Amino acid sequence: MNILFIVGGGTLFLIIAYFTYGKFISQKIFALDDQNVVPAVEMEDGVDYVPTDSKYLAGQHFSAIAAAGPITGPIIAGIAFGWIPTMIWILIGTVFIGGVHDMGSLVTSIRHKATGIADTMKEYVSMRVWILFNIFIFFTLIMIIVAFTDITTSSFVNSVELADGKSIGGGATATSSILYLVLPVIMGFLLKFTKMKLSVATIIFLPLVGISIWIGQYIPFNLQEVLGLNTPQDAQKIWNFVIIAYCFIAGIVPVWALLQPRGHLGGYFLYITLIFSFIGVIFGGFQVQYPGFTSVLGSEEFWRPMFPMLFITVACGACSGFHSLVSSGTTSKQLAKESDAKPIGYGIMLVEAVVALIALSTVMILPQGDALLGKSPNFIYANGLGSFMALIGISKSFGISFGLMAFTTFVYDTLDVCTRLGRYIFQEITHIKGWSGRIISTLLIGGIPLTLMSISLTDPTGKPVAIWSLFWKTFGASNQLLASLALVGITVWLQRTSKYGKAWLATFIPAVFMLSMSIWALVNIFASYTFVNGVFVMPVGTNVVVPALALVYLVLAIWVVIECTPALIKNARFTNTSLALEVS
């Protein structure tokens, strides 16, 4: 079967969903109204609260939420479980859970002066839930930074071999990344202090991004050779420090200096990547080679561990709790009017699902047993993108470099957003304001991941593994658990504020499903490390980190649910009473 029928059919499904279910939730569930004054207008300060054109904000939001999730997750899940269940979850999960979650988080935030979901829970549930939820968010941000930083820096020290013997990656990607990080800073200052228009800046700086990728192939920066280090892993640890240092700077400077211009360029990068991908999908004639199911349909091996691991592995490709932090943390402070919440909150999530489908297709075109399947997901993705770009005369080596750089670009956008969000949370809890609060909180949100990435860890069998692969499941489970808790918060808010009595069901049902899958997955992760031949044995040394984190997430999540349940029951009764009075 040609991958065109799968990716094209899935994209058509998402387009129809936007104009049908998207219209329903924007009008009936969330009742968007441009007569309401949004926080970006009411509280404009030129630093965090800045009303932004929807086209500009859409690119920034897209690049912030996309990152490695919709690429890494579908590739890992596709290899593990087959492309059919992965594709089904991407489509169904995005339309009915992920998109609703993202849009709900954004709308809830703008109706509460651009505060986060935790603040909504404080208002409608209790202060205790607000504290617990913020702690949970903080831990989740740590996991995101660890997983995304480590998988990004792996592309600075590793490489992929082409059929002609040419090696791509490593130093070339590092050089391109450094150049890319400089460009948006220059662009931001030009936009701020000159009369340069955004359209002109885009025309100038977007081609410069392409040039930076081209230059990287000829001036590779091999940190291992430069510093005389023994192994690529030693070089990667230093790169981890460099990326965290970048996050520190990005987390404290005004949004116009880096976040907005980099998000704008990153958004276009995503769009260009999608165009190249669709060229390959439509005209490449690539056939599906990887099996639809990796286990016999209906067998015991088929259902487990796919349930629950599929639903936490795909992560951002179908639903992501991190998106609630972006929507309510940075995007809500820049939304110019309420109606923009539909294309940015719901629409961009559907576009991210397209990215996930394309990432999955890079697995589908490989035969089972291909050596590339043993590489990191970013190399599998870059290889597929290189094959797609070769159709229009672009060398595969440049296409792979472009793919690796695209992957890295997406991650940068998420890393500095995570750092900024972590700063917001710390400052809200401690009430430390000003530059001292910015610096202390940003050092904390960067220092913990750096510590975790500096230690050596093994899987449950004792085999040394890459940090990103070890933390991906923990990140996925905590991320989806965060999504379910955010949906609970939106549900409570809808129960108390919506004029449509059944509106809360649109978020409550997804919340129950995601909560079940996430808790189930965390229990599995904890058990895999602590039960050996049916006997409970707590790991010692650094290997206690993963099961300890799983246990912390479980306790926090169950505690939040216990706190929220009485409010949900009370509000459900209130909603039913209101409906009865309305009907009579």
Side-chain angles (χ1 to χ4, degrees):
M1 182 190 299
N2 194 308
I3 62 171
L4 171 62
F5 296 107
I6 299 167
V7 177
T11 302
L12 180 61
F13 175 83
L14 294 168
I15 292 173
I16 294 172
Y18 178 79
F19 290 104
T20 54
Y21 197 64
K23 180 180 180 180
F24 170 73
I25 63 170
S26 62
Q27 295 182 356
K28 196 73 171 178
I29 305 299
F30 299 118
L32 301 181
D33 185 355
D34 284 343
Q35 296 300 314
N36 297 329
V37 180
V38 294
V41 175
E42 180 183 358
M43 305 164 66
E44 182 176 0
D45 63 4
V47 179
D48 292 321
Y49 295 85
V50 182
T52 306
D53 181 84
S54 60
K55 295 184 180 62
Y56 193 11
L57 185 58
Q60 177 190 310
H61 182 79
F62 187 20
S63 59
I65 67 172
I71 296 172
T72 303
I75 288 175
I76 295 174
I79 294 173
F81 309 117
W83 63 265
I84 291 179
T86 306
M87 179 193 68
I88 292 173
W89 170 236
I90 289 171
L91 297 177
I92 301 301
T94 299
V95 171
F96 297 105
I97 302 180
V100 177
H101 165 274
D102 289 16
M103 187 175 175
S105 302
L106 181 56
V107 176
T108 304
S109 181
I110 61 175
R111 299 273 175 84
H112 292 81
K113 298 187 181 300
T115 56
I117 298 298
D119 292 274
T120 303
M121 287 187 160
K122 179 173 66 175
E123 180 176 347
Y124 294 107
V125 184
S126 70
M127 173 64 78
R128 191 161 49 243
V129 166
W130 178 79
I131 296 173
L132 291 171
F133 200 85
N134 272 314
I135 293 173
F136 189 94
I137 292 172
F138 192 82
F139 273 103
T140 302
L141 289 173
I142 296 295
M143 287 299 97
I144 293 172
I145 294 173
V146 170
F148 285 13
T149 297
D150 197 65
I151 196 171
T152 298
T153 56
S154 70
S155 65
F156 295 172
V157 299
N158 295 315
S159 61
V160 60
E161 300 291 334
L162 300 182
D164 60 4
K166 189 173 183 179
S167 178
I168 301 297
T173 306
T175 299
S176 300
S177 296
I178 293 170
L179 293 174
Y180 169 76
L181 292 180
V182 173
L183 292 175
V185 175
I186 299 173
M187 176 178 167
F189 275 85
L190 288 175
L191 289 172
K192 181 70 174 179
F193 297 107
T194 71
K195 296 182 179 180
M196 180 179 288
K197 294 182 178 179
L198 177 61
S199 57
V200 175
T202 304
I203 292 172
I204 294 173
F205 283 91
L206 198 57
L208 289 177
V209 174
I211 293 174
S212 70
I213 299 173
W214 177 76
I215 290 176
Q217 298 180 83
Y218 298 96
I219 315 176
F221 184 65
N222 190 318
L223 193 62
Q224 183 182 350
E225 292 182 359
V226 171
L227 298 181
L229 302 174
N230 295 324
T231 65
Q233 288 70 34
D234 292 333
Q236 186 174 352
K237 288 182 178 180
I238 295 178
W239 276 122
N240 286 338
F241 176 83
V242 172
I243 297 300
I244 294 298
Y246 158 77
C247 289
F248 172 79
I249 296 171
I252 61 176
V253 299
V255 292
W256 59 262
L258 181 58
L259 183 68
Q260 286 186 339
R262 194 224 53 253
H264 182 68
L265 292 176
Y268 272 101
F269 212 140
L270 275 165
Y271 299 140
I272 293 171
T273 301
L274 286 174
I275 291 171
F276 283 137
S277 299
F278 271 110
I279 290 174
V281 168
I282 296 171
F283 301 107
F286 292 99
Q287 299 296 310
V288 176
Q289 299 188 69
Y290 201 78
F293 300 100
T294 55
S295 299
V296 178
L297 184 63
S299 66
E300 175 67 20
E301 293 77 16
F302 172 79
W303 296 110
R304 297 181 61 187
M306 185 170 71
F307 279 81
M309 301 312 292
L310 170 66
F311 306 98
I312 63 104
T313 302
V314 172
C316 308
C319 179
S320 170
F322 171 68
H323 295 186
S324 70
L325 308 184
V326 176
S327 294
S328 63
T330 56
T331 303
S332 64
K333 294 177 175 63
Q334 301 173 72
L335 198 75
K337 58 182 184 296
E338 277 201 359
S339 59
D340 289 345
K342 179 188 174 185
I344 294 175
Y346 191 76
I348 293 300
M349 181 63 225
L350 300 188
V351 176
E352 184 167 8
V354 177
V355 175
L357 288 175
I358 291 171
L360 181 61
S361 73
T362 64
V363 173
M364 294 161 59
I365 62 177
L366 297 175
Q368 193 170 26
D370 191 293
L372 193 61
L373 294 170
K375 291 279 187 178
S376 298
N378 50 349
F379 285 104
I380 297 174
Y381 173 75
N383 177 76
L385 198 58
S387 299
F388 296 156
M389 293 175 69
L391 295 172
I392 55 175
I394 298 175
S395 69
K396 188 169 182 179
S397 60
F398 179 86
I400 291 177
S401 294
F402 182 91
L404 288 171
M405 184 59 193
F407 184 94
T408 303
T409 300
F410 308 157
V411 173
Y412 283 145
D413 295 331
T414 295
L415 288 177
D416 41 348
V417 168
C418 279
T419 309
R420 186 174 292 267
L421 291 173
R423 170 169 71 82
Y424 292 159
I425 291 171
F426 185 85
Q427 289 185 283
E428 284 181 9
I429 294 176
T430 62
H431 301 291
I432 302 176
K433 305 299 181 181
W435 277 103
S436 60
R438 289 187 179 191
I439 293 173
I440 293 172
S441 56
T442 309
L443 282 173
L444 184 63
I445 193 68
I448 297 175
L450 192 61
T451 300
L452 290 174
M453 288 184 288
S454 66
I455 61 179
S456 299
L457 298 173
T458 65
D459 63 14
T461 64
K463 180 182 177 182
V465 292
I467 295 293
W468 73 263
S469 64
L470 192 62
F471 279 102
W472 189 265
K473 291 180 181 179
T474 309
F475 148 69
S478 63
N479 186 47
Q480 304 306 65
L481 197 52
L482 176 59
S484 65
L485 296 179
L487 285 166
V488 169
I490 299 168
T491 299
V492 173
W493 171 70
L494 285 172
Q495 286 179 317
R496 294 288 296 273
T497 63
S498 179
K499 294 180 180 179
Y500 177 50
K502 296 181 180 179
W504 64 281
L505 292 173
T507 54
F508 178 72
I509 295 173
V512 172
F513 178 79
M514 294 309 301
L515 189 66
S516 302
M517 292 298 109
S518 302
I519 290 179
W520 187 1
L522 282 169
V523 170
N524 283 357
I525 292 171
F526 180 79
S528 68
Y529 275 87
T530 56
F531 283 86
V532 180
N533 298 323
V535 178
F536 178 81
V537 180
M538 196 66 182
V540 295
T542 57
N543 282 337
V544 76
V545 171
V546 174
L549 283 171
L551 188 60
V552 168
Y553 284 127
L554 281 170
V555 171
L556 287 173
I558 293 172
W559 197 347
V560 170
V561 171
I562 291 173
E563 292 284 341
C564 290
T565 299
L568 288 167
I569 295 173
K570 179 181 177 181
N571 290 338
R573 291 174 179 172
F574 174 78
T575 301
N576 292 334
T577 303
S578 300
L579 283 174
L581 291 173
E582 189 176 302
V583 171
S584 62

